[in-house]
Amino acid sequence: MASSSSLHLSQALLARAVYLHGSSSDRVSLSTASTLSSFPSFSGLKTLSSSASSSSSNSGSGSVSSRAPRRVGSVVRATAVETLDKTTEASLVEKSINTIRFLSIDAVEKANSGHPGLPMGCAPMGHILYDEVMRYNPKNPSWFNRDRFILSAGHGCMLQYALLHLAGYDSVQEEDLKSFRQWGSKTPGHPENFETYGIEVTTGPLGQGIANAVGLALAEKHLAARFNKPDSEIVDHYTYVILGDGCQMEGISNEACSLAGHWGLGKLIALYDDNHISIDGDTEIAFTENVDKRFEALGWHVIWVKNGNTGYDEIRAAIKEAKAVKDKPTLIKVTTTIGFGSPNKANSYSVHGSALGAKEVDATRKNLGWPYEPFHVPEDVKKHWSRHTPEGAALEAEWNAKFAEYQKKYPEEATDLKYIITGEFPAGWEKALPTYTPESPADATRNLSQQNLNALAKVLPGLIGGSADLASSNMTLLKMFGDFQKGTPEERNVRFGVREHGMGAICNGIALHSPGFIAYCATFFVFTDYMRAAIRISALCEAGVIYVMTHDSIGLGEDGPTHQPIEHLASFRAMPNILMLRPADGNETAGAYKVAVLNKKRPSILALSRQKLPQLPGTSIEGVEKGGYTISDNSSGNKPDVILIGTGSELEIAAAAGEELRKEGKAVRVVSFVSWELFEEQSAEYKESVLPAAVTARVSIEAGSTFGWQKIVGSQGKAIGIDRFGASAPAGKIYKEFGITKEAVIAAAKELS
Amino acid sequence: MASSSSLHLSQALLARAVYLHGSSSDRVSLSTASTLSSFPSFSGLKTLSSSASSSSSNSGSGSVSSRAPRRVGSVVRATAVETLDKTTEASLVEKSINTIRFLSIDAVEKANSGHPGLPMGCAPMGHILYDEVMRYNPKNPSWFNRDRFILSAGHGCMLQYALLHLAGYDSVQEEDLKSFRQWGSKTPGHPENFETYGIEVTTGPLGQGIANAVGLALAEKHLAARFNKPDSEIVDHYTYVILGDGCQMEGISNEACSLAGHWGLGKLIALYDDNHISIDGDTEIAFTENVDKRFEALGWHVIWVKNGNTGYDEIRAAIKEAKAVKDKPTLIKVTTTIGFGSPNKANSYSVHGSALGAKEVDATRKNLGWPYEPFHVPEDVKKHWSRHTPEGAALEAEWNAKFAEYQKKYPEEATDLKYIITGEFPAGWEKALPTYTPESPADATRNLSQQNLNALAKVLPGLIGGSADLASSNMTLLKMFGDFQKGTPEERNVRFGVREHGMGAICNGIALHSPGFIAYCATFFVFTDYMRAAIRISALCEAGVIYVMTHDSIGLGEDGPTHQPIEHLASFRAMPNILMLRPADGNETAGAYKVAVLNKKRPSILALSRQKLPQLPGTSIEGVEKGGYTISDNSSGNKPDVILIGTGSELEIAAAAGEELRKEGKAVRVVSFVSWELFEEQSAEYKESVLPAAVTARVSIEAGSTFGWQKIVGSQGKAIGIDRFGASAPAGKIYKEFGITKEAVIAAAKELS
């Protein structure tokens, strides 16, 4: 993916040859003009009702706009439009929509697994978005200025695969549709950006997608405010979402949508598939709230399309209206029939998550008048959609030309924007990381983290983030910037409010918007529990979000067990593709940030202390990069009497115990084990040099669950930790009562060696 | 706690002596009459505005109702009321409110830690609730029919500790207030039901409390519908909540409140402390939605009290109005000033979470005219509140008398209700658990789970629960019951919609309503990520919720990695006070349910398969109760050549590998490791009998992260598992590709033995 996100300067050069008036203002005017002209049926429609559509039968025929609704003028496009007369087009739109339906039906049927109901109901909006509304380049799905589309109701992924296939994305060929949900295919059971080029994020767990979309729209608004110039709107795209009842019920969507309203994300347009069916049956059994009113309360513009099945013009008009509302996100409630076209299963939960069955597939073919073999795309539909390849290339070329102009006029801004677009790092960025000596003042790692964040903000143009209403506790404010707000979107301190889950998913969206974004977010470590589903998606979808998690143990003291993490370190060490880092002091915090920034496809969690910690001799950035390393040792021949292992705030305790044991004549190695995952990746030789197999006398100390530590200390070693909930009291008292002490380490070491 | 929830029949007898007309209908009429008469200032107030209050200075003086607003008529109460003339009372209310403020200020100051802002702002509503509105018995905080109060904004716990102290709860004495947030105190940093008698649930993590309250109100509505008779309203209490901006922002509160509206929980009254301040500053920076409108959209009745600082009559009128609305829950938005009374810190975030400091405490004392020493409760305030002890005893005695009548008339219902109130089990309930033989048909453990749930529903009157829109996948429907809905609250299948987080917290509320409730809830195991914060609270607050978590591994197949748990077993094994159970077949599923039901103070998670599994020879309920046990063995002298260990769906694989290795002459023990926690609790002798220390050739197999397994298999053993994300494909294919196979077990066993 990263390689394709480069700027394609050769294409840009080509574009300048094709476009006679390649000035940076051209695309804007062309785009505006064509946006207006491409919706011929938008003649002042204000109230959208189903009667606005001239068709209504459930055979699927519907009125359509009279001209090919393409939105960007170009030689290639104009030709495509002119070859379609009105009649052809009306039937073609219908045919295209049914193609989407049957590709979905056929793929689910062949796999005998999947969710046909949503694609059948949402095919009209899918068609209109991908064929008429959205700007993208199928041959370069990561073209920077593309419109983003998120299927938040990810189980309906066949909708998107069918659309990508028709639109000419190489990632979804006919054979991919035929191997839907099979081992190694590009068409997994839910949309996965890391498997299928053209998918923006990973959805399926409900509510994540709409929250990701808020992040994508935030990213666009931020970049546009930061980089656009009066003579060049170099950043300018929409974010479209389809979400369902399930997404609406999840709390995360309310969190994210409340923020979207607060921030006034006018280019976020969410189409809500209002089909009244969830897995357990009619939504009446559990979902009777007034969604429209709730979204109005959240500050959204709300439109209701009453006939989402065949009222294509209603859908078009709604999208036009949504685009015209610049200061609010829009929710378009599109009332549809799940499984539209299936004579016996439409409008029932049975069509939600199972194949229709051969008999019902036949009945649906008859009902919708579809004479074709499975997986067949009619030639005229194919031809119709084929325009997107040249048009997409032209769009990108046009933008590239524009960028070339921009770069000439605004070289500094262009450089920063390019870093964000490509994900390359400014040379020497890591030199900005602060360094510490044992003489540097003791400090909490949350404060040291803030020093690092502020140092990095100066050199990393894509660093952006904030806290869930704990900025002053998590120490995450970037002092050189103001708040990202509706009126100041160019700023970089994001105020998420007390919305951890939404925050995590929004950061996933930011991170996946462009490779150079480094999104960070913060709360107390224990509240990763609130956002764990989003963190897992970060790990799965390769979004390199940095989770700044402070108050990382009983060391937070008086707030008590509800606020004291115990099992959290273990729970993330068990999670695939994530780095769990627990730095012990300034140098280790800098190392943790270096690792976190460099790991663009792996999120990092930094567990940071509330309490002050000394700057320890022997710690280093390089050490952190290896995950585990020796910070002090008085043994020789790689044969210490005992190895003491600590992480974070307990490394100090291990070091102090080591000092004392050495005074008593022991050969003691003290090891910092800041990241298990990074250590695991080192060579066997290196690992042996730190933890020699022959030395079984090992003591670990960490103010958290001992679960998992047996792997490190071995069957004969001793893991000192906390296997109960915490307590409310001053931190020092809890450490003592729980036996997280130097004395305990010394006693264990003596017992073992 | 359980011991105090018995029925106190001696008190009931006493009550019948005191109350001349001890018939079961008396309390109802008394209560109704007094509810009306106790709010003398409710003279048709419809629009509540701050001008309705005659006072407004921030010195804290305010108009109050002219008579003692007590709500239940009795000899004791009447006397108390009559001793107060209007003037005395007005000043006493004021004094009482300031007592609450200064107890909070002083405790936080002494601890130099805590949150004074909320108690200072919410003292008026706190006073009105505990002194004028709520029905409770301070000497028996678990009296069944008490009104419940939840401080969802748990950081303001000093408010509640002050109120419990004034109301006469033995759990919060003066010395407890003085040891706020100290080791071993009864006044921890956030409200903890397991530490402080009189606290209903454990709050602090925001949004949990309001969702717990929805559970408590659900429980009341259910029991009332099930047990009340035309001549005896034996179940009849309100659930009151104070929640803040933070709770409002959290998605969980929207989930739970959407359900509360859907269910029409008319006796849920939530007071929203609308103080416009969160930790990061003014709520304007992240929270500008229209909360009133959102709650109306959720189906709530909404009232705005504009002057929550001194408009006591407004608060009273709002509560009266809320009680009059029977078919909807009510949100009372009470606009307050955080830190009310502090001349320099009120209305700022600095008063939210830190001690005021000696100087500001002095200034506040001056400002509010408070001449007393720290922790002083003025005698007249003390005397005023002292009524609650006899009144509470009378209330309970009255109810007990009523229950005695009820029991005579409705012995069957009374028996069931008593089980729910006391938490005792019907004799022989466990005989209802189904048993299986190896000849029983292969089945998915999710289906076997449904057999158990339905068997238990017949014998456990307190079993109630449901799924987050996956009832037909989780297999959780109780076939003998209908849906708990607004119109059918006596039923027991709860439809949570796609709201996992709210579901978990609601179940915590149900479980903590009465010891005999056995609340269960269900979703796919991977989506424990959505509700982990609620599950952790279950574990911490000793709510024995049963989490029915199906689709527990890659065995779910095509839905792919977003739906396939990997790290989840490990992540819960690391969590304190929770049972992670992964049964392998029918007998083990029955065993898991037996354990789960019996563990009333420890939640259980049942990880269950989507796919069919055979009934294995050697499995048993008794085995499950030990956590780990031998299901087959051909060794002698406790010296097998190799021990194969499996859980859940992989126990079958371990058993098959064992069979094959035995054919080749090996002495093989196959161990089911269904619950690590239960095994850990067994005697050293028992553990040695299952996993002898001398046998280091151990192979484990589990379709999940190997994290933690080193403790079981030892340094020389081999853990077969999955340390990457899953994949979308048919289950059998994934098992094979990931090496979760019999062949892998055999190969590992041969390598080790």
Side-chain angles (χ1 to χ4, degrees), chain B residues 368-414:
Chain B
L368 292 179
W370 198 250
Y372 306 106
E373 288 299 293
F375 297 102
H376 182 74
V377 179
E379 276 311 312
D380 46 357
V381 171
K382 213 178 268 181
K383 192 180 164 203
H384 176 73
W385 281 82
S386 69
R387 300 165 309 150
H388 291 281
T389 293
E391 285 179 17
L395 279 171
E396 180 169 354
E398 185 184 359
W399 185 86
N400 284 339
K402 187 171 177 172
F403 186 80
E405 285 293 319
Y406 182 91
Q407 199 160 19
K408 271 190 217 155
K409 286 194 193 169
Y410 311 105
E412 270 185 49
E413 287 90 333

Side-chain angles (χ1 to χ4, degrees), chain B residues 673-722:
Chain B
F673 224 66
V674 56
S675 167
W676 294 29
E677 300 84 7
L678 292 174
F679 185 76
E680 188 66 31
E681 289 165 20
Q682 304 307 311
S683 67
E685 201 180 353
Y686 176 77
K687 286 191 238 183
E688 174 69 15
S689 79
V690 178
L691 297 180
V695 181
T696 58
R698 303 178 185 183
V699 180
S700 70
I701 182 160
E702 183 173 74
S705 169
T706 60
F707 192 84
W709 271 103
Q710 286 79 9
K711 181 177 181 181
I712 312 301
V713 299
S715 303
Q716 293 158 67
K718 162 107 180 159
I720 298 173
I722 306 169

Side-chain angles (χ1 to χ4, degrees), chain A residues 71-108:
Chain A
R71 74 264 127 225
V72 186
S74 85
V75 178
V76 181
R77 279 183 301 275
T79 310
V81 170
E82 281 157 21
T83 57
L84 298 166
D85 68 291
K86 292 184 185 187
T87 323
T88 316
E89 198 206 329
S91 68
L92 248 186
V93 169
E94 192 67 34
K95 217 169 177 180
S96 166
I97 289 171
N98 279 331
T99 304
I100 296 161
R101 290 197 176 108
F102 282 97
L103 287 178
S104 304
I105 291 169
D106 296 338
V108 172

Side-chain angles (χ1 to χ4, degrees), chain A residues 48-68:
Chain A
L48 307 173
S49 75
S50 55
S51 62
S53 165
S54 62
S55 84
S56 60
S57 83
N58 87 346
S59 73
S61 68
S63 79
V64 291
S65 68
S66 55
R67 271 144 289 169

